[in-house]
Amino acid sequence: MDYRLERDTIGEIKVASDKYWGAQTQRSKENFPIGNEKMPLEIIEGFAILKRSAAIVNSELGLMEKEKAEAITYAADKILAGELTEHFPLVVWQTGSGTQSNMNVNEVIAYVGNQWLKEQNSEITLHPNDDVNKSQSSNDTYPTALHIAAVRKLEDVLIPALHIIKQTLKEKMEAFHDVVKIGRTHLQDATPLTLGQEISGWHRMIEKTELMIENSLPHVKELAIGGTAVGTGLNAHPEFSERVTEKISAYTEKQFISAPNKFHALTSHDELVFAHGALKGLAADLMKIANDVRWLASGPRCGIGEIAIPANEPGSSIMPGKVNPTQSEAITMVATQVMGNDAAIGFAASQGNFELNVFKPVIAYNFLQSAQLLADSMLSFNDRCLIGLEPNYEQIKKNLNDSLMLVTALNPHIGYENAAKIAKKAFNDNTTLKEAAIELGLLTAEQFDEWIKPEEMTYPK
């Protein structure tokens, strides 16, 4: 293999000639052969946004030559264009501050920036620490990149997916507003409601968790940049933090703010715990909705069977004609992963020892995975299940008429205990409620027909 020698404070190390990283990236690559989980590209992009912003501000403050700032911006923009992805090989399981990924970005930007400077016939060169990392520390750049990535993922990926599934549920809620069906509590028959009312509960779940996620965003929009090593801002200009935050906001078109307390910003990740808690709430709601769908679609002949869902693929390798609720199964597996991620994030965030939390990469990996999985699974569940969901009117009517809990409407007329007698007799004798009521002499056929009207039970006066 062709290689070149790169040097850092430890000494020389070989790097493949076609790779743009330097010595510190290579050491991390060799020292952490752990797992297949790579540092999320969203974090690398967050770093690129930060590095270009920091370079511009350093130049504006007179701390960096304009040419250097232009070279850094050029290289960062190539990262953001997706042209340098192969040069970010590091795994999640590295130093807990994310130092090596910060240096990976610094080294790649320096390499590409120096190539650009040569093309400009400039004698200036970039140094990954002195220039690309100027006024910064891994301790404030990694959490900044993480917050940038988290906000972009939530606002640009997850929330748009929420809007789509919410709209579909609204349309189904309205379409089936007058389809009267039996309700169920404790997996037992309950009083009637409409299918539209049932779906309205699902719609409100999505609506409510969307609000919770949005309420978490202002906290995540606080950035640690400017705190440098321990939160004091050593080696950074007093205006650096505010100015860089303004540049990041302008580039991303999102309103970030400089964290008011940098000591907190470096050692605590409670904002991400809070935000991911909202994602866990969404996961719990999606689990509930998907489980309701597969219960209501169970059968098709020997289950509840009150709704029909699309048949997307054969369900069995041995049972011909079997179709399974696979979209429900996929999204509920995502929900369990998100709940596991929440536990990992909560524990990792509790490990803020003194001035620094050193579990940052695992927080980043799990948070971004949760948001992406939730967005992807919602869109798939929406497109391949919810849109095609339709009532099975015949089965709905049969189950409604067979339910003993319609007797609840008699409580105001004959009392709870007499109504219970009717239900028990109908169940024991395997007869209808009407037959049992007449046989017990508790009411007439005319009274029964007047008082037992399932459609009126769904909108009580």
Side-chain angles (χ1 to χ4, degrees), residues 41-54 72-73 75-81 88 105 109 145 148 251:
L41 184 59
E42 297 91 339
I43 296 293
I44 304 303
E45 291 173 348
F47 269 120
I49 293 169
L50 169 59
K51 298 297 177 181
R52 74 188 310 282
S53 301
I72 291 171
T73 300
D77 286 345
K78 289 184 78 68
I79 293 173
L80 292 165
F88 300 100
V105 175
I109 287 178
I148 293 170
Y251 182 86

Side-chain angles (χ1 to χ4, degrees), residues 382-401:
N382 179 79
D383 295 348
R384 296 171 180 83
C385 182
L386 287 182
I387 286 176
L389 184 153
E390 293 293 336
N392 182 341
Y393 294 98
E394 183 178 346
Q395 186 66 22
I396 286 174
K397 183 178 181 180
K398 178 181 183 302
N399 288 343
L400 178 65
N401 292 334

Side-chain angles (χ1 to χ4, degrees), residues 253-279:
E253 298 182 342
K254 302 183 188 303
Q255 196 55 50
F256 291 97
I257 64 170
S258 174
N261 186 305
K262 300 299 190 296
F263 305 102
H264 168 271
L266 269 59
T267 197
S268 174
H269 291 300
D270 46 16
E271 308 99 331
L272 294 169
V273 173
F274 182 69
H276 197 275
L279 298 187

Side-chain angles (χ1 to χ4, degrees), residues 10 32 36 47 53 59 64 78 91 114 116 135 154 177 200 206 222 235 240 256-257 270 274 295 304 308 311:
I10 300 293
F32 298 96
N36 298 312
F47 269 120
S53 301
S59 177
M64 176 184 290
K78 289 184 78 68
V91 296
N114 283 329
W116 181 81
S135 308
L154 293 178
H177 74 281
S200 77
I206 301 300
E222 293 185 9
N235 292 348
F240 182 76
F256 291 97
I257 64 170
D270 46 16
F274 182 69
W295 272 101
I304 294 174

